[in-house]
Amino acid sequence: MLLPKTQVPSLELPLINDTNWKLSDQNAENFTLLVFYRGLHCPVCKKQLEELSQKLDKFVDRGINVVAISADTEKRAKIAGEDWDIEGLPVAYNLSLEKAREYGLFVSEAVSDKEPDFFTEPGLFLIKPDGTLFFSSVQSMPFARPHFDDILGGIDFIMKKDYPARGEVKGIPQNA
């Protein structure tokens, strides 16, 4: 599990627009938002990423870089990019299961022929420009994801009040 205020693992992935995305190159004014999604097979992901695409300008206006990430292959990720209404949203693919585990994501095995053999479950990570974790939400199921209006409202509060990252207490072991 990644703890707030700690450095997140490096991350570099190809995008469906045939460029590469690298976390360390983001230079976001305020944050970078990593949105890990299950993949092409997931109708909940489609809905989530379409909502995110519609709100992308609101994140950009707040100085936040956004990327959607899956373990899908290039072919599957590009199909999602073509078939889903997510124009303008950076979509990365080929997330390794090793890297997914570094981020503390849950990994699932296919239960139908529509699913890839293995894929990650959803997660949101808000990363500060210095590469440290500010906020995360990791799920073991595709349901009950945070809404982007709630995330935007939280970001507004954080920036207005200079609210600190929470969830890490020095001197108290995480398994206490």
Side-chain angles (χ1 to χ4, degrees), residues 36 95 100-107 120-125 138:
F36 293 96
L95 177 71
R101 287 187 177 103
E102 286 180 31
Y103 272 84
L105 297 172
F106 291 97
V107 176
T120 67
E121 294 298 339
L124 294 174
F125 292 77
V138 176

Side-chain angles (χ1 to χ4, degrees), residues 8-170:
V8 299
S10 64
L11 192 57
E12 183 173 359
L13 297 165
L15 294 172
I16 61 171
N17 68 358
D18 299 321
T19 62
N20 286 311
W21 184 92
K22 190 173 182 181
L23 179 58
S24 62
D25 290 345
Q26 290 309 294
N27 297 318
E29 180 183 343
N30 290 306
F31 296 101
T32 296
L33 179 64
L34 310 180
V35 180
F36 293 96
Y37 71 102
R38 300 171 85 226
L40 176 65
H41 66 280
C42 179
V44 180
C45 296
K46 177 182 186 286
K47 182 178 177 183
Q48 180 191 37
L49 294 191
E50 288 179 345
E51 177 192 350
L52 177 59
S53 182
Q54 293 171 358
K55 298 177 187 307
L56 190 57
D57 289 346
K58 293 180 180 186
F59 284 95
V60 171
D61 291 346
R62 288 164 172 82
I64 299 165
N65 294 354
V66 177
V67 65
I69 302 167
S70 78
D72 270 348
T73 62
E74 178 179 14
K75 180 179 179 181
R76 290 175 59 85
K78 287 187 174 185
I79 291 171
E82 293 168 7
D83 292 353
W84 297 359
D85 186 16
I86 56 174
E87 188 175 332
L89 179 64
V91 177
Y93 58 91
N94 277 349
L95 177 71
S96 70
L97 297 182
E98 177 185 347
K99 188 60 72 171
R101 287 187 177 103
E102 286 180 31
Y103 272 84
L105 297 172
F106 291 97
V107 176
S108 290
E109 188 173 6
V111 294
S112 80
D113 60 357
K114 294 178 184 176
E115 298 176 347
D117 291 341
F118 297 95
F119 56 91
T120 67
E121 294 298 339
L124 294 174
F125 292 77
L126 195 61
I127 312 297
K128 291 178 65 173
D130 66 2
T132 59
L133 179 65
F134 190 86
F135 158 89
S136 68
S137 173
V138 176
Q139 296 175 253
S140 63
M141 294 290 286
F143 315 110
R145 299 180 197 196
H147 294 280
F148 290 113
D149 284 336
D150 293 339
I151 301 294
L152 288 164
I155 289 168
D156 289 343
F157 181 85
I158 289 163
M159 293 185 345
K160 181 178 180 183
K161 301 287 187 177
D162 195 26
Y163 197 75
R166 307 298 303 267
E168 181 272 334
V169 179
K170 293 180 170 80

